[in-house]
Amino acid sequence: VIRLYGYWRSSASYRVRIGLELKGLHYESVPVNLLRDGGEQRAARYRAINPQGLVPTLEDGPQRITQSLAILEYLEETAPEPPLLPRGAAERARVRSLAQVVASDTHPLANLRVLQYLTEVLGRSPEERHAWIRHWLAQGLAACEALLAGHPATGRHCHGDAPTLADVCLVPQLYNARRFDCDLSGYPTLLRIEGACLALPAFVAAHPSRQGDAVAG
Ligand SMILES: N[C@@H](CCC(=O)N[C@@H](CS)C(=O)NCC(=O)O)C(=O)O
C-alpha cells in the first residue's frame, strides 16, 4: 500500500500526487491539516512520521520518504513507466534544474512557516507579506520562463512532448502563484505548458480542488 500524507493546497503534495497519477499508482491520501490547531504538521504525532514537520511524506510498505523531489525520484526508480525524466544525462540535468528552480529556490520562500514568521514574529503587515510573496514568486517564474521560452528542447511540455518532473513542479507553482494573485501575463510559455498539462487526466485528478480535504473558497 502506498500512503501519501499531504494537504490539498500544498504544492509539494500536489507534485507528488501528479507523479503518482502519471504513473498510474494507486495510493491512499492521509490529510494533514496545515491550519488546524496551529498546524497538524507540527504536532508530535506527525513529527514522528516526518521530523521536519512538513508535508508531503510517502509511505510505500515499510519505506517512509520525505521531500517531494526525493519521493518523485523514488517513484521514477520503482515504477519507471511512463518515465518522468528523459534518457540522456544532459537532458535529465535540464529537467532537474527546471524542477529545482521551483522546488529549491522559489516555493520555499513563500511557504507557510516563512510567511507566518514574517507576520507573527517579525510583525510585518499583510501588505508587506504580499509584496514578499509576489517578489519571490515573480523571480522564480521569470527564471522558468527564460529557461523555457525558445529553448530547442521545450515542446508541448517543459522538455519535449510528454510531462517530466519539470512540469510536475511547474503546475503546482502556478496554482500557488494564482492563490496569491500574482500577475502571470509575463509568462506565456509557462501558461501554454500549464494548459497542456491540465488537459491530461493525471493533472486533473491531482488538482487541489479534487482532494477529499479541499475546503471551498
Ligand atoms: N522541500 C519540501 C517542501 C515541503 C513543504 O514546505 N511543505 C509545505 C506545504 S507545500 C508545508 O508542509 N508547510 C507547512 C509549514 O510551513 O508549516 C518538499 O519538496 O517536500
Side-chain angles (χ1 to χ4, degrees):
V1 174
I2 299 180
R3 192 171 290 136
L4 178 66
Y5 294 82
Y7 180 60
W8 63 288
R9 215 162 53 172
S10 139
S11 68
S13 308
Y14 186 7
R15 289 174 204 148
V16 174
R17 292 196 301 267
I18 297 168
L20 288 162
E21 295 286 348
L22 283 169
K23 290 187 176 291
L25 295 168
H26 181 74
Y27 68 98
E28 236 170 59
S29 278
V30 184
V32 178
N33 190 321
L34 302 188
L35 302 179
R36 189 188 296 150
D37 300 333
E40 288 177 355
Q41 76 280 18
R42 294 172 197 155
R45 218 168 72 142
Y46 182 70
R47 279 196 194 270
I49 293 165
N50 181 342
Q52 235 193 327
L54 297 171
V55 291
T57 300
L58 186 97
E59 283 178 353
D60 182 13
Q63 309 303 331
R64 186 175 280 163
I65 307 161
T66 62
Q67 287 290 343
S68 62
L69 286 183
I71 295 169
L72 288 159
E73 294 265 0
Y74 169 82
L75 297 177
E76 182 70 2
E77 288 171 21
T78 53
E81 293 301 324
L84 298 180
L85 283 168
R87 287 176 78 116
E91 290 74 19
R92 292 163 84 84
R94 176 174 185 259
V95 166
R96 288 185 172 119
S97 68
L98 285 163
Q100 286 181 32
V101 171
V102 171
S104 308
D105 294 341
T106 309
H107 166 267
L109 288 157
N111 196 9
L112 181 65
R113 59 182 179 164
V114 171
L115 301 180
Q116 285 176 340
Y117 190 82
L118 279 176
T119 51
E120 292 165 21
V121 180
L122 300 181
R124 296 294 166 176
S125 67
E127 292 71 32
E128 287 174 309
R129 172 182 182 271
H130 223 128
W132 168 283
I133 296 170
R134 288 194 181 152
H135 174 76
W136 293 114
L137 294 193
Q139 291 233 335
L141 294 175
C144 290
E145 178 70 25
L147 286 162
L148 287 162
H151 190 287
T154 303
R156 193 172 153 70
H157 288 278
C158 291
H159 191 87
D161 294 327
T164 60
L165 292 187
D167 304 82
V168 164
C169 290
L170 177 65
V171 167
Q173 191 58 58
L174 289 170
Y175 170 83
N176 181 274
R178 276 201 191 85
R179 254 185 74 200
F180 294 119
D181 258 348
C182 294
D183 175 12
L184 300 181
S185 60
Y187 318 119
T189 313
L190 306 188
L191 296 179
R192 175 181 66 70
I193 293 170
E194 181 192 38
C197 290
L198 294 177
L200 301 175
F203 283 82
V204 174
H207 194 272
S209 64
R210 300 279 291 255
Q211 308 313 304
D213 57 334
V215 175

